[in-house]
């Protein structure tokens, strides 16, 4: 066992502790970025001038009328930017456009006012003349126009052509599904000020303080050491604060430099939803072959990500989608093409799972649709295709510990009493004509690490004061996920002190530089390794001091919960006493720690290598009940077994699993992004731009019974204290909800019918799917595929279609609103 993963007996890691800010959260005393405004004097408030076209040429932008509005101090335009007018990862994203508008709601200028109302009135007074240009709003618009940008990665393994020739069962089709709004509780928020020496201080709600620092320094044309970014905590992030905050921080910083006063940029909910990127929606076309036992022989697919107007993080999102299309299943022959559609809407960005969920959803949708046509239950089809020891992924990384997926699957079957419940469900369905139930199991295999190897590093600074108290600084950011809690437990365990001895400082770029984003579920792995390294350096120095005091060799010294002892003596020392002795002996009581993930290699140009340190596994079983008359449904019960290795903090991990599942269920069943696709002047406007029109999960959508267990005997070698990541993988457990809905819909029709289901599977979508399997009337042409009357000109819900050579004699059910069958080649070998 490595030193990194070895866990001492009686350690604080592994204990259940509440979130370190739990009391502050529930009492309202936890400070967020915007709370600091009231501690400053003379703060100016910023408000954007937004584009009213999806695509247009800017003929004139006249800020002069804003100056006549009482309370307006300044209008910031592109001409005021002293450095590089760019806020993106790929230098294709002007902070303020000069000639061309690329999406409806794009900020063209920012007005600074003495208060928010003055800034808002000033923004309304700014005059902008446009020349409207043709716009591409939907992913299908872009595909038909051949509008793409960025890389086009391809995975190609085995002999796909020969495998299809040998496959007795071949199916093909299309599947398009929607993105997702982050809807973090705290919207984008930055507060900037400049001190007497020109040092720029930015408090920002960002997951990536170093990149915020980099973007601000480029925009202002100042060195990075002149910019300090601090993150107190975030009120949620989910990936939406990995790239998106940088431009707003730059606006606040630029305003502070230009006026000499603090500047606050805080988006209200509508501004946040209309200006920031979302989870990428995807379109997929696919062809898959099986043998007579239902085992996958080959897959050929094309994944198109809806990237929006600029690249942002679309390239790595697409790459991860391709790397996760296999999910937990072995595909011996596989070819997957990737491309990024360029549309005139918000630049889509990171979101929990970072492309992985999109790739995995394609596979789960395929298996759910073709299982009846293979004469197998979806559960059996999935189980037959699990990875086993000795197999590798489509990008040639060996799959370690695939037995853990099988173990989690069997544990869910046993603890969830699946066999008995399936019999009860069959009896219920036989006696209820208008309500049907179903239970579905789906697995998760998710790779942990950044695909870009260089990002897999972290730093920490640990300070021990003369009284023995400890202050920890690390490069990770806290967004409610409990990272700080885990780091406190890591530090206390490594130093051998009680948990209250350790305090954690806010994340700052002048304390820990060159940090990676708190993303890719790697926050605990990376920062935990760095904190542990710093603490081990200090402990090693103190062991030498203790060895002299106790008269034993240094290797015999043990630190445990504030007591220092030696193996060959009964004498002990108190931690605080030892620290004081070390101080008077001039022993350094601070250390900078560093960690880099070993064993990673990745060649993006050929999509081969071992980009992930390990895989996290999980299984969920979801039971639903569906009403025939309106498509409404109830999530009756969920059983989850998830692999987190040896948990650093079980209570935190359980919370992450529950939260991730519910967020995933929202994406699968509720959250329906719609843009205006009409030819009116409002074309490209986001129609679902508030909580009144965009539905996120609430208590009413929570399962009536929600059982979550951590997989036992899952120690992960080579990771901090044997733990595993937990942030992103649980989201994909919610695929089981969508698959349960599909199976419940099938119960309304004849046996063996394949059900196509839109995503999100809203009640309207479920209703039309039921109508289809029952042979009912098609939806009226003027209605959306979800069945409800769609707002005029808005984008309908994504749908899917499939065709196969091995179809049974009864025709496949095609949900109304699915693409025309001619769009998918129906001729089979």
């Amino acid at each position: 066992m490595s030193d990194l993963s070895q866990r001492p007996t009686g350690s604080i890691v592994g204990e259940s502790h509440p979130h370190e800010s739990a009391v502050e959260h529930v009492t309202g005393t936890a400070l967020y970025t915007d709370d600091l405004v009231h501690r400053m004097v003379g703060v100016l408030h910023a408000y954007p001038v937004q584009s009213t076209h999806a695509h247009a040429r800017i003929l004139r932008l006249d800020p002069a009328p804003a100056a006549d509005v009482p309370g307006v101090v300044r209008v910031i335009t592109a001409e005021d930017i002293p450095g590089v007018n760019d806020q993106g990862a790929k230098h294709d994203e002007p902070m303020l456009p000069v000639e061309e508008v690329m999406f409806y709601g794009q900020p063209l200028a920012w007005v600074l006012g003495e208060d928010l109302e003055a800034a808002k009135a000033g923004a309304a007074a700014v005059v902008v003349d446009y020349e409207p240009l043709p716009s591409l709003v939907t992913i299908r618009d872009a595909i038909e126009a051949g509008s793409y940008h960025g890389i086009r990665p391809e995975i190609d393994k085995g002999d796909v052509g020969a495998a299809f020739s040998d496959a007795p069962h071949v199916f093909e089709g299309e599947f398009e599904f929607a993105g997702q709004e982050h809807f973090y509780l705290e919207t984008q928020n930055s507060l900037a000020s400049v001190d007497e020496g020109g040092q720029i201080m930015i408090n920002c709600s960002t997951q990536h303080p170093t990149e915020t620092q980099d973007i601000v320094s480029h925009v202002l044309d100042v060195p990075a050491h002149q910019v300090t970014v601090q993150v107190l905590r975030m009120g949620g992030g989910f990936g939406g604060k990995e790239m998106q905050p940088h431009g707003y921080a730059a606006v606040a910083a630029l305003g502070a430099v230009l006026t000499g006063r603090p500047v606050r940029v805080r988006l209200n909910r509508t501004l946040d939803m209309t200006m920031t990127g979302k989870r990428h929606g995807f379109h997929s076309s696919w062809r898959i072959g099986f043998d007579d036992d239902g085992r996958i022989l080959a897959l050929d697919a094309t994944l198109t990500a809806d990237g929006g107007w600029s690249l942002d993080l679309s390239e790595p999102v697409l790459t991860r989608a391709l790397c996760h299309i296999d999910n937990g299943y072995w595909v011996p022959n596989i070819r997957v093409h990737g491309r990024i559609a360029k549309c005139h809407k918000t630049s889509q960005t990171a979101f929990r799972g970072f492309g992985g969920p999109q790739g995995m959803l394609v596979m789960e949708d395929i298996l759910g649709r073709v299982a009846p046509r293979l004469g197998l239950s979806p559960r059996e089809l999935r189980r037959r295709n699990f990875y086993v020891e000795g197999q590798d992924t489509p990008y040639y990384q060996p799959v370690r510990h695939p037995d853990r997926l099988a173990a989690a699957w069997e544990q869910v079957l046993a603890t969830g009493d699946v066999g008995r419940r399936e019999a009860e469900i069959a009896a219920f369905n036989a006696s209820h004509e208008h309500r049907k139930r179903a239970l579905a199991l789906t697995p998760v295999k998710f790779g942990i690490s950044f695909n870009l190897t260089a990002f897999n590093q972290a730093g920490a600074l640990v300070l021990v004061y003369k009284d023995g108290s400890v202050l920890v600084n690390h490069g990770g950011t806290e967004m409610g996920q409990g990272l700080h809690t885990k780091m406190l437990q890591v530090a206390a365990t490594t130093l051998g002190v009680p948990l209250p001895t350790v305090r954690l400082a806010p994340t700052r770029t002048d304390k820990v530089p060159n940090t990676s984003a708190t993303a890719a579920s790697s926050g605990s792995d990376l920062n935990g390794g760095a904190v542990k390294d710093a603490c081990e350096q200090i402990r090693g120095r103190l062991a030498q001091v203790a060895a002299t005091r106790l008269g034993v060799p240094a290797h015999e010294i043990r630190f445990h919960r504030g007591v220092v002892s030696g193996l060959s003596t009964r004498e002990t020392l108190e931690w605080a006493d030892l620290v004081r002795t070390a101080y008077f002996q001039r022993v350094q009581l601070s250390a900078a720690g560093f960690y880099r993930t070993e064993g990673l290699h990745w060649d993006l140009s050929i999509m081969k290598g071992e980009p992930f340190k390990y895989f996290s596994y999980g299984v969920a079983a979801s039971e639903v009940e569906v009403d025939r008359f309106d498509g409404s449904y109830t999530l009756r019960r969920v059983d989850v077994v998830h692999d987190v290795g040896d948990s650093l903090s079980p209570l935190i991990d359980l919370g992450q699993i529950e939260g991730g599942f519910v967020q995933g269920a929202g994406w699968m069943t509720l959250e329906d992004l719609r843009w205006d696709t009409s030819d009116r002047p409002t074309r490209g406007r986001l129609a679902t731009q508030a909580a009144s029109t965009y539905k996120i999960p609430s208590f009413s959508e929570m399962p009536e019974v929600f059982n979550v267990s951590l997989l036992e005997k899952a120690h992960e070698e080579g990771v901090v204290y044997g733990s595993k990541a937990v942030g992103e993988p649980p989201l994909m457990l919610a695929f089981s909800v969508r698959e349960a809905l599909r199976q419940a819909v099938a119960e309304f029709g004849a046996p063996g019918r394949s059900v196509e289901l839109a995503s999100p599977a809203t009640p309207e979508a479920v209703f039309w799917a039921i109508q289809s399997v029952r042979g009912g009337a098609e939806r009226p042409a003027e209605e959306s595929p979800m069945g409800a009357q769609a707002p005029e000109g808005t984008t309908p819900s994504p749908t899917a279609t499939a065709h196969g050579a091995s179809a049974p004699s009864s025709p496949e059910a095609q949900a109304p609103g699915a693409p025309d069958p001619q769009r998918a080649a129906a001729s089979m070998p």
Side-chain angles (χ1 to χ4, degrees):
M1 186 178 294
S2 67
D3 290 340
L4 181 62
S5 60
Q6 187 172 2
R7 181 175 297 193
T9 303
S11 61
I12 292 173
V13 292
E15 294 180 348
S16 288
H17 290 275
H19 190 286
E20 47 88 26
S21 295
V23 173
E24 290 84 353
H25 287 160
V26 298
T27 58
T29 57
L31 289 179
Y32 294 85
T33 297
D34 203 48
D35 294 317
L36 301 180
V37 171
H38 308 293
R39 300 184 173 196
M40 293 183 174
V41 177
V43 176
L44 296 177
H45 302 257
Y47 198 87
V49 178
Q50 289 185 275
S51 165
T52 55
H53 292 271
H55 189 204
R57 186 171 289 111
I58 301 173
L59 302 179
R60 179 171 71 108
L61 193 156
D62 183 8
D68 297 329
V69 176
V72 169
V73 174
R74 178 152 189 157
V75 179
I76 298 176
T77 67
E79 295 178 354
D80 295 311
I81 297 173
V84 180
N85 182 9
D86 191 272
Q87 63 184 23
K90 303 295 290 187
H91 307 294
D92 64 342
E93 193 172 339
M95 189 176 90
L96 294 171
V98 177
E99 299 178 348
E100 192 175 5
V101 166
M102 295 299 288
F103 71 95
Y104 197 106
Q106 183 175 7
L108 311 180
W110 289 82
V111 178
L112 305 183
E114 295 288 353
D115 56 44
L116 187 59
E117 291 308 311
K120 187 182 297 186
V126 173
V127 177
V128 185
D129 293 334
Y130 305 89
E131 177 189 339
L133 298 172
S135 59
L136 305 172
V137 177
T138 70
I139 192 170
R140 285 192 179 274
D141 289 343
I143 291 172
E144 291 170 4
S147 175
Y148 304 104
H149 51 169
I151 62 173
R152 293 201 180 187
E154 179 179 325
I155 283 177
D156 194 349
K157 178 186 177 187
D159 190 336
V160 174
F164 274 117
S165 297
D166 295 338
H169 306 280
V170 175
F171 308 91
E172 62 183 329
E174 293 183 9
F175 177 39
E176 183 183 341
F177 49 94
Q180 186 179 20
E181 168 63 36
H182 298 88
F183 220 102
Y184 26 63
L185 291 180
E186 177 202 29
T187 56
Q188 300 286 343
N189 207 319
S190 290
L191 177 63
S193 60
V194 184
D195 70 11
E196 73 282 359
Q199 183 72 23
I200 301 160
M201 179 67 188
I202 306 170
N203 282 278
C204 183
S205 184
T206 175
Q207 293 175 235
H208 201 343
T210 288
E211 194 160 55
T212 300
Q213 177 190 38
D214 290 343
I215 296 295
V216 171
S217 70
H218 294 160
V219 169
L220 298 185
D221 194 24
V222 298
H225 70 219
Q226 199 171 329
V227 179
T228 300
V229 177
Q230 174 173 273
V231 184
L232 294 178
R233 57 171 58 83
M234 286 170 276
F238 312 120
K241 295 176 180 176
E242 184 173 348
M243 279 298 301
Q244 302 294 293
H246 309 331
Y248 307 121
V251 168
L254 177 58
V257 169
L258 293 174
T259 64
R261 294 171 63 178
V263 172
R264 168 210 195 203
V265 174
R266 183 183 67 82
L267 305 187
N268 63 33
R269 182 62 61 188
T270 296
L271 288 177
D272 198 291
M273 293 185 74
T274 57
M275 290 167 57
T276 65
K278 291 95 176 61
R279 183 189 296 281
H280 293 69
F282 268 64
H283 175 276
S284 65
S285 57
W286 50 265
R287 188 177 184 220
I288 191 166
F290 294 85
D291 66 16
D292 286 328
D293 292 326
R295 290 184 172 83
I296 301 170
L297 295 177
L299 174 67
D300 192 353
T302 296
L303 303 185
T304 305
D306 185 352
W309 75 280
S310 68
L311 280 173
D312 194 90
L313 295 172
S314 293
E315 290 179 330
V317 164
L318 178 64
T319 299
R320 186 170 277 257
L322 266 62
C323 287
H324 282 79
I325 196 170
D326 58 325
N327 193 8
Y329 314 109
W330 187 49
V331 186
N333 303 284
I334 184 169
R335 181 168 55 233
V336 189
H337 305 271
R339 56 190 183 181
I340 303 164
K342 184 174 184 179
C343 308
H344 295 105
K345 54 187 175 190
T346 54
S347 183
Q348 315 318 349
T349 190
F351 199 131
R352 196 175 197 168
F354 202 82
Q358 290 94 319
M360 296 160 70
L361 179 58
V362 171
M363 178 61 82
E364 292 302 333
D365 185 74
I366 291 171
L367 297 182
R369 286 157 67 176
V370 305
R373 302 176 65 183
L374 289 168
L376 295 171
S377 71
R379 173 154 63 91
E380 179 59 25
L381 179 61
R382 289 184 167 94
R383 182 63 183 87
R384 289 188 186 186
N385 284 284
F386 279 1
Y387 276 105
V388 298
E389 194 68 40
Q391 294 174 342
D392 59 4
T393 65
Y395 43 94
Y396 294 92
Q397 175 162 352
V399 177
R400 294 174 56 236
H401 307 308
D403 55 298
R404 293 185 183 178
L405 183 58
W409 185 269
E410 295 303 321
Q411 188 172 329
V412 167
L413 290 175
T415 61
D417 205 5
V418 170
R420 177 188 60 78
R421 290 165 57 204
E422 285 182 331
E424 291 178 352
I425 288 170
F428 177 91
N429 290 344
S431 60
H432 291 75
E433 180 182 359
H434 305 305
R435 300 188 71 83
K436 302 293 182 183
R437 293 177 180 174
L439 187 156
L441 275 75
T442 56
V444 167
K445 175 186 69 69
F446 191 80
I448 303 298
S449 291
F450 289 97
N451 272 77
L452 181 60
T453 303
F455 284 170
N456 295 288
Q457 60 173 297
L461 176 64
V462 176
L463 313 175
V464 177
Y465 294 96
K466 290 185 292 182
D467 64 353
S469 62
V470 180
L471 182 66
V472 174
N473 301 265
H474 66 87
T477 55
E478 175 62 48
M479 60 197 89
Q481 84 278 38
L483 174 62
H484 283 357
T485 306
K486 289 186 174 183
M487 296 306 96
L488 289 171
Q489 289 181 256
V490 168
T493 296
T494 309
L495 291 174
V497 298
L499 192 58
T501 305
V502 187
R503 191 174 75 84
L504 213 142
T507 308
R508 286 175 60 121
T509 56
D510 60 354
K511 297 294 186 292
V512 180
N514 309 321
T515 60
S516 295
T518 305
S521 301
S522 60
S524 294
D525 290 359
L526 297 178
N527 295 288
V531 168
K532 187 170 186 289
D533 177 51
C535 291
E536 285 175 339
Q537 294 177 47
I538 297 170
R539 190 186 66 196
R541 298 172 199 146
L542 292 176
Q544 296 292 336
V545 178
T548 302
R549 286 278 305 269
L550 297 176
V552 299
H555 69 265
E556 289 191 10
I557 297 297
R558 298 293 182 268
F559 298 81
H560 183 71
R561 298 183 185 258
V563 177
V564 185
S565 61
L567 295 181
S568 55
T569 179
R570 293 186 177 181
E571 187 179 356
T572 62
L573 297 171
E574 293 297 317
W575 164 263
D577 182 31
L578 176 61
V579 168
R580 282 192 297 272
T581 300
Y583 168 76
F584 283 107
Q585 292 183 7
R586 296 182 296 175
V587 173
Q588 184 180 356
L589 294 174
S590 64
F594 182 76
Y595 174 79
R596 50 177 280 172
T597 308
E598 300 294 342
L600 305 180
H601 59 92
W602 176 244
D603 189 337
L604 177 62
S605 65
I606 58 174
M607 293 289 287
K608 291 182 180 179
E610 297 189 17
F612 305 122
K613 178 66 174 178
Y614 56 84
F615 296 102
S616 284
Y617 301 103
V619 173
S622 294
E623 180 183 340
V624 299
E625 182 175 317
V626 175
D627 188 298
R628 165 197 161 188
F629 294 111
D630 58 6
S632 62
Y633 44 82
T634 302
L635 182 54
R636 291 171 46 80
R637 176 171 169 174
V638 173
D639 292 271
V640 169
V641 174
H642 198 71
D643 170 22
V644 297
D646 285 342
S647 175
L648 291 176
S649 192
L651 191 61
I652 296 295
D653 287 345
L654 290 171
Q656 284 290 287
I657 295 167
E658 292 172 355
F661 181 93
V662 172
Q663 189 172 53
W667 178 42
M668 291 289 93
T669 64
L670 294 172
E671 302 181 42
D672 191 10
L673 289 166
R674 295 200 178 194
W675 280 267
D676 188 336
T677 57
S678 72
D679 291 328
R680 296 190 300 261
T682 53
R683 176 177 171 83
R685 174 182 175 271
L686 180 66
T688 50
Q689 56 181 250
S692 58
T693 51
Y694 186 82
K695 172 67 172 144
I696 63 171
S698 61
F699 283 116
S700 61
E701 282 79 39
M702 289 286 288
E704 297 172 4
V705 179
F706 199 175
N707 301 316
V708 179
S709 299
L710 304 181
L711 184 67
E712 298 179 353
K713 300 179 181 178
H715 177 91
E716 188 64 31
E717 182 63 24
V719 186
V720 60
Y721 288 127
S723 64
K724 273 189 174 183
V726 73
E728 294 169 303
L731 182 135
M732 285 72 81
L733 295 167
F735 293 161
S736 59
V737 179
R738 185 170 182 270
E739 291 307 304
L741 290 173
R742 186 200 307 277
Q743 293 171 208
V745 168
E747 291 295 324
F748 288 100
R753 299 286 293 269
S754 177
V755 175
E756 295 177 12
L757 192 58
S759 186
T762 61
E764 295 89 343
V766 171
F767 171 80
W768 286 113
I770 293 171
Q771 289 294 97
S772 178
V773 300
R774 297 185 73 248
E778 293 289 325
R779 66 178 177 87
E782 71 273 11
E783 290 190 355
S784 78
M786 297 193 312
Q789 183 72 33
E792 183 181 352
T794 57
T795 306
S797 275
T799 52
T801 185
H803 306 272
S806 58
S809 57
S810 60
E812 177 186 1
Q814 181 180 329
D820 188 300
Q822 297 302 316
R823 298 188 68 91
S827 58
M828 295 289 108

